Amino acid sequence: MAVTVLIQLAYPKALSYFIDNINVRKDMAWFSSLALTMLAVLALQAVAATARYYIFESTGYMIVTRIRRQLYAALIEQPIRFYDKHHVGELNNRLTADVEILHDTLTMGMAVSLRCLCVFIGGVVMLLTISPVLSLMLVIFLPATLFIGKMTGKVYRKRASLMQDGQAECGKVAQEHFSNIRLVHAFSQQRTARARYAGATEHALSLSVSSSALFALFRGGSSFLVYLALLGTLWFGARLIGQGQMTVGDLTAFILYASMVTEAAGAIGEFWNAWMRTIGATEWIFKVINTERAQEAPAGEAGLQGRLAFEDVAFAYPERPDAPALNKIDFSIAAGDTIALVGASGAGKSTIASLILGFYRPDSGRILFDGVDAAAMPLAAIRSKLAIVEQEPSLFSGSIFENIAFAVAEREVTLDEVKAAAALAYAHDFISAFPDGYDTVVGERGAQLSGGQKQRIAIARALLRDPRILILDEATSALDSASELQVQRALDTLMQGRTTIIIAHRFSTIVKADRILVLEQGRLAQHGTHAQLVAQQEGLYFHLMRHQLARAAAPAAA
Ligand code: ADP
């Protein structure tokens, strides 16, 4: 950059020298040597410009990649409550579009403005050496250009943040419809989808358009000032030439330097705006990157036995602080026992599971593992002894091996370990039957596997983790009876010797549990064994189970 700037600053001087000598020296040799020098200088400038472009551009990419990685790392560490607030589509958009803006500013913007700053300073020095008096002309209006630039920059910054929010909103709408595309088609909701997207983009568009108006005004205003200054300089310069205080070459060079300086000042002002816009647009990114993250102690061996207790636990989701999801929940489970959580949808079953997993902290009361308050234990230590099998198991788009090995984060897992876990989960046979065996790649969201197969992979994953406490979210949709049997056998293996909390829907599961907790609107309505609860014919359990009980009783009566 230094080289290109120096050459740029030398041009007007060279031209002035040329103009003032053209009538004095008339020999060709002088012209030829001047032309050759210019050619060499031009070549040098080309090389320097290439290097400058490459260095700025590639550095920009490196910085952006690094920021993107930092943002991703910060996002993935955010507590679950963060994800209650921010939609996946929005986050994706932030990760791509918001970070991209930084690239433009950091490469072209930064390169241009740094160069302009050097040109500006060099140009001012040249102006002063040519004619200090004439330079006074510029002193009057240059600050005006800079001032306008600064003011617009301020407004721009606020705008940019709003514009980015608008873009993120568009991303959210699109993502939502893409990920539910089957539902959208099945209910013929394409038109609504279009309308919602159009609505979101409309808002973003109006923000952008009004920002363009502001920008256009700034451009027009500063260009007017530039030409006004040029006119003034010519007028004043002509008088100086008349008085013999300046040559024609000097005035030419002066005007060229003046236009360089004003152009540079304008570009700096423009960059200032771009910079403000970037700061506005990336405010969110840096806020997330800089959020304090809980310093987790390394997992270590918690050595949990598997005893678990809730002591008067109350909890409301941060998003809905005045609707308590759990109210004074009090129970304890001995190590190795199985409890079933029963209750209508929305009663608080999943919330209990989320609290055990440490996704949220109770608002009041305590959760105890082996009699120790969870708040006093490192989260990672507790989680290392927990495993979860979800209702609709989620699989990543890698191989089956990777999906099972996902259970263990802290070390490499061997194929034998994965096979052993799969065998215990009754999954080994069907996996080996695939042509690629454990390397079979699972489609997006595990689309190529049946429901029962996915569940057995999820069970193998939990088995590999070898947890002390197991959380099962029982699938509500029934599998065909053959797969059902296999999944049930796999689950039985998994539950053996482990404390198990089941969000239960099936009668057969509920009956087998050592204890049943019946939840009603966040409260513990009843608890006890199946036999105890069935005896209370006025109770909620009896009411919830009536149909199932009737069905179960019919063959017995017969
Ligand atoms: P269940 O699992 O028994 O169906 P949940 O534990 O999911 O019930 O929900 C209990 C209550 O908490 C419900 O009123 C539900 O609407 C609310 N809830 C669940 N998840 C969230 C969340 N992420 N943010 C806000 N409210 C939630």
Side-chain angles (χ1 to χ4, degrees):
M1 178 151 32
V3 173
T4 53
V5 168
L6 281 178
I7 294 175
Q8 194 182 340
L9 285 172
Y11 275 140
K13 238 357 207 178
L15 189 66
S16 150
Y17 172 71
F18 180 73
I19 291 175
D20 288 343
N21 282 284
I22 198 160
N23 290 321
V24 185
R25 310 184 188 208
K26 295 205 160 103
D27 56 313
M28 261 334 265
W30 179 72
F31 280 122
S32 309
S33 68
L34 189 70
L36 274 178
T37 318
M38 289 308 278
L39 198 65
V41 169
L42 276 179
L44 181 63
Q45 192 187 28
V47 172
T50 308
R52 184 195 68 208
Y53 185 84
Y54 171 72
I55 290 169
F56 268 96
E57 201 61 12
S58 57
T59 310
Y61 278 121
M62 287 176 211
I63 294 174
V64 165
T65 305
R66 196 153 142 193
I67 290 174
R68 198 168 268 158
R69 284 184 193 149
Q70 278 184 358
L71 177 61
Y72 182 76
L75 284 174
I76 210 95
E77 293 280 343
Q78 291 296 318
I80 299 298
R81 59 170 187 278
F82 175 89
Y83 285 88
D84 287 343
K85 247 195 328 234
H86 298 283
H87 194 274
V88 186
E90 175 198 333
L91 297 181
N92 253 329
N93 199 63
R94 300 272 189 197
L95 207 51
T96 47
D98 282 18
V99 179
E100 208 51 51
I101 286 191
L102 261 182
H103 176 253
D104 298 341
T105 312
L106 284 175
T107 55
M108 288 324 286
M110 185 76 110
V112 168
S113 63
L114 265 181
R115 199 183 58 201
C116 288
L117 194 68
C118 298
V119 169
F120 180 79
I121 295 169
V124 167
V125 172
M126 296 309 283
L127 287 174
L128 287 173
T129 52
I130 295 176
S131 171
V133 193
L134 205 50
S135 304
L136 276 177
M137 273 304 298
L138 297 171
V139 173
I140 302 165
F141 86 100
L142 249 188
T145 320
L146 291 181
F147 177 74
I148 295 182
K150 206 171 156 203
M151 290 313 291
T152 14
K154 225 186 225 164
V155 184
Y156 234 78
R157 179 175 165 172
K158 269 197 226 112
R159 287 286 165 121
S161 188
L162 289 175
M163 272 156 71
Q164 256 5 68
D165 289 347
Q167 294 296 348
E169 181 61 28
C170 297
K172 176 174 152 183
V173 171
Q175 158 99 19
E176 219 164 55
H177 288 96
F178 287 150
S179 54
N180 293 309
I181 192 70
R182 286 185 176 74
L183 210 63
V184 173
H185 280 234
F187 284 92
S188 311
Q189 284 293 350
Q190 289 93 326
R191 194 208 293 249
T192 333
R194 272 205 307 272
R196 281 198 54 199
Y197 192 71
T201 44
E202 184 60 43
H203 180 61
L205 178 67
S206 67
L207 275 170
S208 310
V209 167
S210 64
S211 299
S212 313
L214 199 72
F215 197 61
L217 266 176
F218 168 69
R219 287 296 273 272
S222 33
S223 107
F224 176 71
L225 278 178
V226 166
Y227 286 106
L228 200 64
L230 181 64
L231 197 65
T233 314
L234 278 174
W235 177 73
F236 202 50
R239 292 185 49 171
L240 288 176
I241 292 176
Q243 293 163 7
Q245 292 183 27
M246 222 184 187
T247 65
V248 177
D250 277 345
L251 182 61
T252 314
F254 188 90
I255 287 175
L256 286 177
Y257 281 121
S259 74
M260 258 185 203
V261 166
T262 48
E263 200 179 294
I268 293 168
E270 227 165 79
F271 176 72
W272 182 257
N273 286 348
W275 190 239
M276 285 300 127
R277 195 176 47 188
T278 307
I279 291 179
T282 51
E283 229 157 2
W284 191 91
I285 296 178
F286 291 102
K287 209 167 80 198
V288 170
I289 291 182
N290 293 328
T291 42
E292 291 277 326
R293 270 168 272 163
Q295 282 297 316
E296 274 296 334
E301 272 305 296
L304 288 184
Q305 304 289 313
R307 266 191 302 136
L308 172 70
F310 271 47
E311 267 184 6
D312 282 335
V313 169
F315 173 74
Y317 282 95
E319 293 297 285
R320 300 169 62 192
D322 37 74
L326 293 180
N327 208 331
K328 294 250 181 298
I329 299 289
D330 200 89
F331 67 87
S332 65
I333 320 167
D337 272 5
T338 298
I339 63 160
L341 300 176
V342 178
S345 152
K349 305 181 290 291
S350 315
T351 307
I352 289 186
S354 295
L355 287 179
I356 296 172
L357 284 159
F359 291 159
Y360 308 93
R361 295 256 185 222
D363 296 333
S364 66
R366 300 193 300 168
I367 298 173
L368 306 168
F369 290 93
D370 290 353
V372 182
D373 190 347
M377 298 162 84
L379 205 50
I382 299 173
R383 284 186 184 155
S384 71
K385 291 293 163 195
L386 293 177
I388 175 165
V389 178
E390 303 169 275
Q391 194 173 60
E392 297 287 336
S394 327
L395 299 182
F396 287 90
S397 53
S399 65
I400 292 183
F401 171 84
E402 285 165 345
N403 269 290
I404 297 178
F406 189 78
V408 182
E410 55 276 358
R411 63 181 172 86
E412 289 288 317
V413 179
T414 65
L415 181 58
D416 286 339
E417 282 178 282
V418 167
K419 277 185 179 164
L424 282 173
Y426 297 90
H428 180 69
D429 289 344
F430 83 80
I431 297 172
S432 329
F434 289 134
D436 292 330
Y438 283 82
D439 292 329
T440 306
V441 171
V442 179
E444 197 176 332
R445 292 218 208 149
Q448 297 150 6
L449 295 169
S450 77
Q453 290 173 335
K454 275 192 264 184
Q455 284 188 350
R456 278 178 282 158
I457 288 178
I459 292 168
R461 175 153 77 191
L463 272 165
L464 183 62
R465 193 162 175 83
D466 191 20
R468 295 315 313 147
I469 299 176
L470 185 68
I471 296 168
L472 289 181
D473 196 349
E474 197 172 51
T476 38
S477 51
L479 299 168
D480 62 86
S481 45
S483 338
E484 182 75 56
L485 192 69
Q486 281 170 316
V487 169
Q488 197 50 54
R489 283 196 328 203
L491 278 176
D492 288 342
T493 321
L494 178 61
M495 288 160 63
Q496 230 159 54
R498 303 180 213 273
T499 309
T500 311
I501 296 108
I502 311 180
I503 299 175
H505 303 289
R506 292 210 191 103
F507 186 69
S508 53
T509 324
I510 298 169
V511 177
K512 274 194 295 188
D514 294 311
R515 207 132 54 86
I516 300 159
L517 305 183
V518 187
L519 292 163
E520 186 181 26
Q521 294 180 358
R523 289 174 186 280
L524 193 53
Q526 282 177 294
H527 62 98
T529 62
H530 173 69
Q532 288 167 344
L533 292 174
V534 166
Q536 303 168 19
Q537 301 218 342
E538 296 306 306
L540 179 63
Y541 183 77
F542 190 84
H543 177 72
L544 282 171
M545 292 290 134
R546 206 161 39 203
H547 296 295
Q548 310 241 24
L549 283 167
R551 230 187 303 159

